[in-house]
Amino acid sequence: MEQERELQWDDEIEKDGGDYILLPAGDYNFTVTKFERGRFQGSAKMPACNQAKLELTVHSQEHGDVVIFHNLLLHTKTEGLLSNFFTGIGQKKKGEKLRMNWNTVIGSKGKLQLEINKFVGRDGEERTNNQVKKFYPYEEAFPQGQSQGYQQQVQQQQAPFPTNTQQQGGFIPGQF
């Protein structure tokens, strides 16, 4: 896969624009696939502050994997939203303090509820997009029995041989 980069004025381009997929409102599993540090410039309701720009790959059985964008503002006014996100990816427990570790966010998984957001674009046209309504607490989304199976499924997709479950003999019965 080619690494993202800035294009020069005379670069060749080939990739066609994809069709935008609007997912129906509902509950979906997701994976955090990109994280970028940014800065929110401020608004009438919120002062300028740091901003986490996330790309979430939402896994839909009907539509496949769809990327949605989600921004988190790092401000005391939005601390509950930050806690909701970190609880949703299993890095925070309700009622406990957490030092946010953004280095571990990419690859994290969870379950969220999407809604359809209506807005007016810069061109004055009414548009819709998907927006995260809430993140489910990880323990609720993946109860003990399912959580391990879901994580194992993902690990098996990433590595041809599971390394964290190997026995002393160096192989897992039925592996070959």
Side-chain angles (χ1 to χ4, degrees):
M1 188 166 105
E2 188 176 325
Q3 188 172 353
E4 291 181 0
R5 65 179 175 81
E6 177 183 11
L7 293 172
Q8 300 303 313
W9 291 105
D10 59 350
D11 276 355
E12 287 184 347
I13 58 173
E14 177 181 358
K15 194 185 306 181
D16 295 320
D19 292 331
Y20 176 74
I21 297 174
L22 182 68
L23 292 172
D27 298 341
Y28 299 91
N29 291 335
F30 72 92
T31 304
V32 180
T33 47
K34 188 173 180 182
F35 158 68
E36 190 177 297
R37 294 173 193 263
R39 188 87 183 141
F40 177 68
Q41 297 304 312
S43 69
K45 295 181 181 179
M46 178 69 78
C49 60
N50 289 324
Q51 178 179 27
K53 297 179 176 185
L54 302 171
E55 283 187 19
L56 308 175
T57 298
V58 176
H59 310 294
S60 164
Q61 292 203 341
E62 188 178 338
H63 302 283
D65 287 349
V66 177
V67 174
I68 65 162
F69 303 96
H70 185 68
N71 295 327
L72 291 168
L73 302 178
L74 279 69
H75 194 277
T76 54
K77 287 183 173 185
T78 59
E79 188 174 345
L81 298 173
L82 292 162
S83 284
N84 185 249
F85 170 71
F86 279 100
T87 301
I89 61 173
Q91 293 187 22
K92 181 183 183 304
K93 303 261 188 264
K94 277 190 176 273
E96 293 182 4
K97 286 187 176 187
L98 171 80
R99 181 172 305 279
M100 296 181 292
N101 184 352
W102 295 99
N103 295 327
T104 61
V105 166
I106 294 177
S108 294
K109 298 174 184 330
K111 188 172 187 175
L112 55 74
Q113 184 178 64
L114 280 185
E115 63 184 1
I116 295 176
N117 177 47
K118 292 182 181 180
F119 63 98
V120 177
R122 291 184 184 153
D123 58 3
E125 296 290 318
E126 188 173 293
R127 301 189 187 287
T128 56
N129 66 1
N130 285 120
Q131 190 170 294
V132 175
K133 185 170 184 175
K134 72 176 181 176
F135 294 98
Y136 291 101
Y138 192 85
E139 292 79 24
E140 288 177 26
F142 306 107
Q144 198 60 29
Q146 295 177 5
S147 172
Q148 292 171 340
Y150 178 71
Q151 293 294 353
Q152 258 181 347
Q153 208 177 25
V154 171
Q155 288 170 354
Q156 287 173 353
Q157 290 172 357
Q158 292 172 348
F161 301 106
T163 55
N164 60 342
T165 54
Q166 288 184 341
Q167 298 173 348
Q168 286 185 338
F171 70 94
I172 298 172
Q175 178 179 1
F176 298 102

